[in-house]
Amino acid sequence: MTDIIRLLPDSVANQIAAGEVIQRPASVLKELVENAIDAGATTVDIYLKDAGRTQIQVIDNGCGMSETDARLAFERHATSKIRESKDLFSIHTLGFRGEALASIAAVANVQVRSKRSCDELGTQIDISATQVTGQTPVQCPEGTIFTVSDLFFNVTVRRKFLKSDSIELNHLLTEFKRIALSCENVSFSITSIKTENSNKTEIYRLPVSNLRQRIINLFGVSIKQHLLNIEVETTLVKIRGFITKPEYAKKKYADQFFFANGRFINHPYLRKAVEQAYTGILPPEYKPGYFIYFEVPPDSIDINIHPTKTEVKFEDDQAIFQILVSSVKQVLGKFNVVPPIDFEMNHSIQIPVLRSDTKINMPQITVDHNYNPFETSDDYPQKQYERGQLQNWESLYTGFENENRQPDLYKDTSVEENDPMATSVNAHFQLKGKYILTSVKSGLMMIDQKRAHERILFEQYLIQMIHHSSASQQSLFPDTVEISPDEMSLWLELQNDFTALGFDIRPSAGLKVNIHGTPADSDNKNPEALFRKLLDDFRHTESDLFESRHEQLAALLAQESAIRYNQTLTAEEINHIVEKLFTCATPNYSPTGKPVMHILSMDEIERWF
Ligand code: ADP
Ligand code: MG
């Protein structure tokens, strides 16, 4: 018998390795831009065709590569950034594994054009699925141009798993923001191109600037008034950057960025530290935004844990945790975001850096004599989030005609005639501010109040969209909203869908829009917040769940406008929900596919007794 073990050809090995490093267009962008930064570029221009699916191009003015290096760069474990294992413990570049280009070239068509300042001519190399298909000298500017086309053309499964363009673009922009936030001294531009109509949108153009300005350029002018500077230096770690005022907190997708030695990192443990410092000034479900930069000695941090390199381990996580909690609290206190007497401060450690020339001052105590712990002031941040959803309760149902439609399910749930409680209001009962309980023929029905209301509103919105009958509540004075460049490009795309839902939003100068009206049945006390929330949610929701963008937006608006949990409902409101729910086409599921109700059968109940 012959031996059966064989070495895999490079093309297969690289394709397997690529699975680790290259998951979607955003991973390609990250690797190419990081390489450009490592090459000392001061200008990086990015072009994305069809959210990177068709093409990703990165143009830099960095050091360029020699002919041999350009060829070698695509070999696995080929890197100019480390030489021996001890270098792993003092990494100063973003890349170091030498696997990115090999991985990208295994699953796409790649062209590189590169020229060093010392060379007359540059080199062009074409590679398709690891095979070099061409290598020629070319005229090209100093620096490097990488063009990656038809990502995953040879890995059908992966290509199929790519999400909608809006989700992929969001991933790309998330990656872009991380890098742009870590190099304020590099100018960037990113342009999105749609091949079907050759539409070209420059989403960002970021000049070289300081960190504060970079954040404003990325997140829109509205963030400006919310940024609080944080700066701490201890023997263990240097922390700088910005945290945001509680008003900038978000329920989901808060803008939270940590960087360690210039590299974006994910650090759930330290995230908890920041969130802990906000305890008491934010409702529990709200997350603060922050841009925090840690500087530690390179040998006290291990960035080698994961190939995508966002997970890191600090030597002394726990001490950094404590320092972070106390410094965030201090900043919040200093800007009077929290009442100045904060007893919890006593537990936190502060490790000052002592130099021989440091003058040590007596600690100062500031007492706010006007502070009255029993007084709730109007501008206490929490107030902002308590939106009385129920004030317009009746209006939620006006205009929605009951067509006397009683689907089968309704019959199922109608109560027996000899049940005297059945027809009275008392037949429904609210449990723990979350469920509506009601007696039905087959047992006890439990309805999730929020999901039920989402379903009701969702179908109502859809009907209105189809019949072009969405009512808009016009405001006397339009709200002018300044949005970020990426929000603007998304809004332009969704404009018609917003209008169909009952929004009346008109473009204004620059990155501003005017909100003249919001859907009549929505939470319209804060049109700006609602608009921002919808844009944000849209970017982050899987569109696969929905048949159209109309549906997706209707579902998101329903989620925003539905009654919340822990909201005590009157008998009348409960009745409304139960009644309306069973005139819905699909009462059993919420618009995002979660179960709305469950019946505890009589059999089950009787088994207990
Ligand atoms: P790593 O970045 O981990 O070293 P890569 O596969 O990303 O590995 O890149 C391999 C090598 O190719 C780099 O070490 C660098 O020498 C070279 N290289 C890649 N991109 C560029 C670029 N834009 N400009 C100059 N050199 C580059
Ligand atoms: Mg690299």
Side-chain angles (χ1 to χ4, degrees):
M1 246 175 84
T2 55
D3 300 324
I4 52 172
I5 298 181
R6 250 170 273 159
L7 278 178
L8 288 173
D10 271 1
S11 57
V12 181
N14 284 342
Q15 195 173 319
I16 294 170
E20 279 274 307
V21 189
I22 307 299
Q23 280 125 12
R24 52 179 7 126
S27 345
V28 175
L29 180 77
K30 170 179 192 281
E31 296 298 338
L32 294 183
V33 178
E34 286 189 349
N35 279 348
I37 304 292
D38 284 344
T42 54
T43 303
V44 179
D45 295 303
I46 302 161
Y47 297 89
L48 307 168
K49 279 194 186 152
D50 305 322
R53 203 184 294 272
T54 310
Q55 194 173 84
I56 299 168
Q57 187 173 59
V58 175
I59 304 175
D60 73 53
N61 65 349
C63 64
M65 287 177 271
S66 71
E67 192 185 338
T68 322
D69 282 351
R71 177 66 198 84
L72 251 181
F74 290 97
E75 293 295 325
R76 202 131 55 95
H77 308 306
T79 178
S80 56
K81 299 169 195 175
I82 57 173
R83 287 181 186 279
E84 45 189 348
S85 72
K86 78 170 171 26
D87 295 345
L88 273 176
F89 301 98
S90 58
I91 291 192
H92 296 282
T93 51
L94 293 167
F96 59 88
R97 293 162 179 273
E99 46 185 19
L101 290 181
S103 299
I104 296 170
V107 293
N109 295 317
V110 182
Q111 182 186 80
V112 60
R113 291 165 150 237
S114 193
K115 189 175 104 63
R116 300 179 299 178
S117 60
C118 57
D119 296 328
E120 277 285 299
L121 275 181
T123 308
Q124 174 178 327
I125 292 179
D126 290 272
I127 292 197
S128 175
T130 308
Q131 302 301 317
V132 178
T133 55
Q135 174 161 359
T136 47
V138 283
Q139 286 283 359
C140 62
E142 250 172 74
T144 305
I145 304 174
F146 267 101
T147 313
V148 175
S149 313
D150 312 313
L151 184 63
F152 299 134
F153 78 94
N154 56 343
V155 202
T156 338
V157 215
R158 287 236 159 208
R159 199 165 170 87
K160 253 201 336 241
F161 276 105
L162 291 181
K163 306 290 184 192
S164 64
D165 279 7
S166 64
I167 296 243
E168 292 302 337
L169 188 63
N170 188 44
H171 283 295
L172 285 156
L173 291 176
T174 302
E175 221 43 89
F176 175 76
K177 284 176 197 166
R178 291 173 178 177
I179 302 173
L181 281 170
S182 60
C183 326
E184 319 90 275
N185 51 352
V186 175
S187 72
F188 291 96
S189 76
I190 184 163
T191 303
S192 156
I193 302 161
K194 276 209 169 94
T195 44
E196 63 175 22
N197 54 11
S198 322
N199 256 0
K200 211 174 184 180
T201 322
E202 184 179 88
I203 305 177
Y204 283 107
R205 176 162 290 277
L206 307 171
V208 173
S209 57
N210 60 23
L211 178 60
R212 189 189 180 81
Q213 193 55 46
R214 177 58 56 96
I215 294 174
I216 294 168
N217 289 343
L218 278 167
F219 295 87
V221 189
S222 57
I223 197 174
K224 196 170 172 177
Q225 78 226 45
H226 299 304
L227 293 175
L228 303 175
N229 193 9
I230 181 168
E231 202 147 7
V232 189
E233 198 174 337
T234 72
T235 36
L236 264 184
V237 60
K238 238 162 91 177
I239 301 175
R240 66 174 187 107
F242 294 92
I243 59 172
T244 58
K245 293 185 188 164
E247 296 91 308
Y248 192 73
K250 292 185 190 163
K251 230 174 173 169
K252 291 189 240 165
Y253 328 118
D255 299 312
Q256 302 189 323
F257 295 87
F258 278 139
F259 300 86
N261 294 358
R263 167 197 305 273
F264 171 84
I265 59 161
N266 267 316
H267 211 299
Y269 178 65
L270 292 181
R271 183 181 67 222
K272 284 219 183 71
V274 182
E275 290 176 359
Q276 185 178 318
Y278 279 82
T279 317
I281 56 169
L282 279 185
E285 70 275 25
Y286 278 82
K287 308 278 175 227
Y290 55 77
F291 309 85
I292 295 178
Y293 296 70
F294 302 98
E295 205 72 57
V296 293
D299 61 355
S300 76
I301 181 174
D302 183 0
I303 48 179
N304 206 7
I305 297 177
H306 195 265
T308 53
K309 296 170 285 188
T310 59
E311 311 293 325
V312 303
K313 170 117 192 55
F314 291 103
E315 207 168 66
D316 207 340
D317 277 358
Q318 282 175 20
I320 297 181
F321 185 99
Q322 295 298 342
I323 295 168
L324 194 55
V325 176
S326 71
S327 30
V328 172
K329 279 191 176 183
Q330 213 170 40
V331 172
L332 290 173
K334 193 158 88 193
F335 289 93
N336 282 324
V337 180
V338 282
I341 301 172
D342 185 351
F343 296 102
E344 266 185 81
M345 285 279 279
N346 300 340
H347 301 296
S348 52
I349 323 169
Q350 170 63 300
I351 311 171
V353 182
L354 284 185
R355 292 201 198 85
S356 50
D357 55 346
T358 318
K359 207 174 115 217
I360 300 171
N361 293 323
M362 274 294 280
Q364 303 278 311
I365 299 170
T366 23
V367 179
D368 179 354
H369 295 285
N370 297 323
Y371 177 64
N372 175 357
F374 301 104
E375 187 180 82
T376 45
S377 108
D378 268 353
D379 48 25
Y380 192 65
Q382 192 139 353
K383 274 278 155 69
Q384 249 186 271
Y385 302 105
E386 294 168 1
R387 299 196 191 116
Q389 297 288 328
L390 269 180
Q391 284 167 7
N392 294 324
W393 177 263
E394 282 81 2
S395 73
L396 290 177
Y397 292 107
T398 51
F400 185 63
E401 276 167 16
N402 188 342
E403 297 146 318
N404 273 341
R405 190 156 51 102
Q406 297 206 337
D408 288 342
L409 217 135
Y410 188 71
K411 287 193 205 106
D412 240 343
T413 60
S414 60
V415 277
E416 283 171 282
E417 270 163 329
N418 59 3
D419 183 344
M421 300 295 277
T423 46
S424 86
V425 158
N426 298 337
H428 312 312
F429 170 79
Q430 193 186 16
L431 178 68
K432 304 269 182 202
K434 191 166 181 197
Y435 302 104
I436 296 170
L437 305 189
T438 184
S439 153
V440 294
K441 199 169 182 175
S442 52
L444 176 67
M445 176 183 272
M446 290 162 269
I447 301 173
D448 182 305
Q449 67 185 46
K450 179 163 190 294
R451 292 181 189 172
H453 197 207
E454 279 176 19
R455 165 54 61 184
I456 295 165
L457 291 174
F458 174 64
E459 295 201 6
Q460 177 187 331
Y461 294 149
L462 282 183
I463 292 170
Q464 291 170 347
M465 282 164 112
I466 293 161
H467 296 262
H468 301 288
S469 60
S470 297
S472 174
Q473 169 140 334
Q474 295 288 317
S475 29
L476 222 42
F477 305 101
D479 273 41
T480 301
V481 181
E482 178 113 33
I483 54 183
S484 64
D486 55 335
E487 284 172 328
M488 184 54 109
S489 78
L490 182 63
W491 178 68
L492 288 172
E493 207 169 299
L494 296 175
Q495 210 169 352
N496 293 337
D497 305 86
F498 268 98
T499 309
L501 262 178
F503 279 96
D504 179 359
I505 304 176
R506 304 174 205 168
S508 174
L511 287 170
K512 287 188 197 133
V513 295
N514 290 329
I515 307 182
H516 291 262
T518 44
D521 293 340
S522 66
D523 169 24
N524 36 35
K525 271 179 281 327
N526 191 341
E528 171 172 352
L530 178 64
F531 174 59
R532 282 184 195 283
K533 185 78 182 19
L534 285 178
L535 281 184
D536 219 19
D537 284 348
F538 190 89
R539 285 195 286 188
H540 293 89
T541 328
E542 288 302 344
S543 54
D544 315 14
L545 272 174
F546 305 97
E547 299 209 332
S548 63
R549 289 202 308 214
H550 262 34
E551 272 201 12
Q552 191 175 346
L553 262 190
L556 295 174
L557 181 62
Q559 255 172 10
E560 275 315 292
S561 312
I563 47 160
R564 304 287 140 122
Y565 294 124
N566 294 323
Q567 207 166 300
T568 314
L569 305 177
T570 67
E572 203 183 334
E573 290 157 358
I574 296 178
N575 275 343
H576 264 305
I577 292 194
V578 176
E579 206 174 285
K580 289 291 171 193
L581 181 64
F582 293 109
T583 60
C584 284
T586 320
N588 303 43
Y589 292 97
S590 77
T592 47
K594 296 190 185 124
V596 167
M597 62 184 92
H598 180 76
I599 296 178
L600 193 60
S601 71
M602 280 314 287
D603 284 353
E604 274 175 272
I605 296 174
E606 266 157 22
R607 244 182 280 137
W608 297 339
F609 297 98

